[in-house]
Amino acid sequence: MNLQTHASKAAEIPADARVELVFQDEPLPELLASDDSSLSGLLSELVGSPEMKGKAHESTVLHTQGKLSTRRLLLLGAGKRDELTLERLGKLAGQAARAAQRQEWKSLVFGGTLLVAGMDVAQVAEALVGSAVMGLMSLDTYKTEDQSKATLETMVLADPSRQAALESGGKRGLVLGEAANTARSLVNEPGNDLYPAAMAEKVKALAEGAGLSVEVLTASQMRDKGMGLLLAVGQGSDNEPRLVTIRYGDFEGKPTLGFVGKGITFDSGGISLKPGLGMQDMKTDMSGAAAVAGAMLALAQLKPQVNVLGVIPMAENMPSGKATRPGDVVRGMNGKTVEVVNTDAEGRMILADALVHAQELGATHIVDLATLTGACVVALGHVATGAMGKPQEWVDQVMNASRAVGEKIWQLPIYDEYRELIKSEIADMENAGGRWAGPITGAWFLKEFVKDETAWVHLDIAGTATIESDVPHLPKGASGVGVRALVRLAEEIAAG
């Protein structure tokens, strides 16, 4: 994507289309008065009519017939002005980009009405560009039909007095949008192409291409390190597990963050086999791993002064004569034993060994991301990520970073009483806690592999990792959740 910023008015820039906002219960914005005059009052006649009341995500395209610098005006309803947020601005930009893609426009200008008074211009530019880039992503990689349609090539931000802020924010948005799209493209890959070894190689190539240091552990090397939980999950598949560690930063005196992402490249449930209906979606069970990979790529470009480990355990959970059985007892990297009562509670097992590994490498503050439990979807739907962890200050910081980039999140408790639900008669713990409090018992399991002195947050993204149906700003499929939040968190830690 070619991003341009100009020290001139948006209305003066030639392009296939210019995007402008219309607010609910308000007349035509003053910024569009000149355009309205050039169009013989058409805009003032349209705004407020049943065709364009300004409700969020309403849209109308006007052909300007040579009377304006742009060939078209794309008017988007922004809702009520006092309810406008950076998140909504981003969604509107994504909607505009998708409209441009459908109509085969090659250039798009974000007009002056999007630079809303009272909002930080650089943050607005970041939200506009990042979300627009995400809105442009195509999910039809495997279709063989003609893909020769024209695509949006240029996005333009313009303002005579704020070009520097637009440029800095726009460039950040471009980096973050592309990083989120990398994560989304990984999630959308089918399991036959993105099995653990293939995913490890792909992530390694991307990370090394960005100048990052990468280590890949094979099953044999994991066995030497005592990663019995990760190996137990992967042993039923012909595709052996992998564990990838990506390193960013070598800043003396700076803390070391650990980002740990669940990488189940396909989850059949193992011997505790899932129902067939919807099982094809289990290729997305590595969304946490993809988010960590995307965040690390963004950090390599944005270069905050903080040390970060991206730890990504990868396995394929399959039933076979070699698979772990319900009732088996396996030992984790920290020596704790686990009675496997449900082989479909596998994500927490691979994360457990990865958490221990991250701490051994020096991580003092950890965030793990996982499509861990369907129970979290029952609790929070597809709107909010579930958060659990300790201490509360660290939980608050992670949640605030998520909210700052427009990702909704909600904290669930991990009271001591919940630990009783994973109590085992023959081992240190069971890997599943039964019907009740599923997200919390999953978090409690992980907590058993986190040292008392380590700050840790578990993010259950089972409901937010994918979009169930098309929305105005994004197509159905992977959402890229977590990428921007992790980057924001790392930058906040770097800033002190």
Side-chain angles (χ1 to χ4, degrees):
M1 173 58 62
N2 176 26
L3 174 65
Q4 297 180 4
T5 58
H6 289 277
S8 53
K9 293 181 180 179
E12 299 171 353
I13 298 171
D16 286 331
R18 170 160 51 96
V19 186
E20 298 287 2
L21 300 184
V22 174
F23 291 93
Q24 189 174 345
D25 301 326
E26 290 189 19
L28 183 75
E30 183 64 29
L31 278 172
L32 301 184
S34 176
D35 296 316
D36 188 41
S37 177
S38 298
L39 295 172
S40 304
L42 180 60
L43 294 181
S44 54
E45 180 180 343
L46 175 65
V47 172
S49 74
E51 296 173 76
M52 178 50 70
K53 294 183 177 181
K55 292 181 180 179
H57 297 293
E58 284 183 336
S59 65
T60 297
V61 177
L62 297 176
H63 290 259
T64 64
Q65 299 179 328
K67 296 177 181 178
L68 301 180
S69 296
T70 53
R71 296 184 181 89
R72 304 165 188 85
L73 271 182
L74 171 59
L75 299 181
L76 293 180
K80 295 182 178 180
R81 186 181 293 271
D82 60 2
E83 296 176 355
L84 189 67
T85 61
L86 285 172
E87 178 188 4
R88 181 176 290 181
L89 271 176
K91 288 181 177 180
L92 291 168
Q95 180 182 1
R98 294 194 74 199
Q101 194 85 311
R102 285 193 302 271
Q103 302 300 328
E104 300 187 47
W105 302 339
K106 292 186 178 181
S107 53
L108 186 67
V109 177
F110 289 113
T113 57
L114 284 95
L115 304 181
V116 180
M119 287 190 175
D120 182 274
V121 175
Q123 291 181 3
V124 169
E126 178 183 327
L128 294 177
V129 175
S131 296
V133 168
M134 291 177 67
L136 289 171
M137 181 178 163
S138 173
L139 305 180
D140 54 4
T141 308
Y142 286 83
K143 289 189 176 182
T144 57
E145 62 191 40
D146 183 22
Q147 300 290 322
S148 60
K149 289 184 178 180
T151 59
L152 184 63
E153 297 172 355
T154 303
M155 287 191 294
V156 182
L157 299 168
D159 189 89
S161 61
R162 297 178 284 188
Q163 185 184 9
L166 291 175
E167 184 170 359
S168 63
K171 285 181 177 178
R172 277 184 54 81
L174 191 61
V175 168
L176 293 169
E178 289 177 346
N181 282 352
T182 297
R184 294 167 70 205
S185 67
L186 288 170
V187 175
N188 286 319
E189 285 287 314
N192 60 318
D193 280 354
L194 203 73
Y195 47 90
M199 183 175 180
E201 286 305 308
K202 182 166 286 192
V203 169
K204 182 175 185 287
L206 288 168
E208 289 183 340
L212 297 167
S213 171
V214 184
E215 178 187 41
V216 179
L217 296 182
T218 63
S220 175
Q221 291 169 313
M222 285 186 269
R223 194 168 291 111
D224 291 341
K225 291 180 177 293
M227 297 182 177
L229 303 185
L230 204 168
L231 291 167
V233 172
Q235 72 187 40
S237 173
D238 288 339
N239 294 310
E240 290 190 343
R242 293 288 188 273
L243 188 140
V244 174
T245 301
I246 308 170
R247 296 175 183 267
Y248 166 80
D250 186 20
F251 302 103
E252 189 174 346
K254 293 288 185 177
T256 297
L257 296 178
F259 296 155
V260 181
K262 174 186 171 184
I264 298 292
T265 58
F266 185 79
D267 182 20
S268 71
I271 297 298
S272 305
L273 192 67
K274 291 179 180 291
L277 184 64
M279 195 190 289
Q280 70 274 8
D281 295 332
M282 288 300 100
K283 69 177 187 177
T284 68
D285 212 15
M286 34 60 69
S287 296
V292 170
M296 298 302 291
L297 295 176
L299 291 174
Q301 295 183 68
L302 297 174
K303 295 180 169 41
Q305 294 198 10
V306 63
N307 304 310
V308 185
L309 297 168
V311 180
I312 305 174
M314 304 171 182
E316 187 176 66
N317 187 24
M318 298 288 282
S320 75
K322 302 180 297 180
T324 296
R325 298 162 288 257
D328 284 358
V329 175
V330 292
R331 188 180 301 272
M333 189 178 176
N334 66 349
K336 292 189 177 183
T337 56
V338 175
E339 180 186 4
V340 179
V341 296
N342 184 349
T343 63
D344 195 24
E346 83 300 326
R348 64 201 67 183
M349 293 176 66
I350 71 167
L351 285 172
D353 279 340
L355 287 168
V356 176
H357 186 59
Q359 290 168 94
E360 288 197 352
L361 294 177
T364 58
H365 296 70
I366 294 177
V367 180
D368 78 70
L369 302 90
T371 47
L372 205 75
T373 65
C376 196
V377 187
V378 173
L380 300 176
H382 295 281
V383 175
T385 291
M388 292 144 276
K390 53 89 179 182
Q392 187 60 44
E393 292 79 11
W394 180 236
V395 178
D396 289 341
Q397 189 163 5
V398 173
M399 292 178 65
N400 288 337
S402 295
R403 289 169 177 154
V405 298
E407 294 181 357
K408 293 179 172 63
I409 191 166
W410 195 257
Q411 185 175 4
L412 299 173
I414 48 173
Y415 300 135
D416 291 344
E417 290 86 345
Y418 291 113
R419 173 62 175 83
E420 293 298 308
L421 297 177
I422 57 170
K423 185 177 180 181
S424 170
E425 297 297 326
I426 63 171
D428 293 327
M429 71 199 84
E430 294 180 349
N431 77 321
R435 181 178 180 184
W436 308 119
I440 298 168
T441 56
W444 246 112
F445 181 92
L446 296 174
K447 188 172 181 285
E448 291 289 315
F449 297 86
V450 179
K451 296 176 182 178
D452 290 342
E453 63 270 23
T454 302
W456 158 78
V457 168
H458 162 61
L459 300 180
D460 193 329
I461 60 171
T464 52
T466 54
I467 298 168
E468 296 300 291
S469 58
D470 271 15
V471 289
H473 62 290
L474 285 175
K476 175 182 177 180
S479 69
V481 69
V483 174
R484 291 176 292 179
L486 292 179
V487 173
R488 173 78 177 222
L489 180 66
E491 290 180 325
E492 289 179 355
I493 298 298

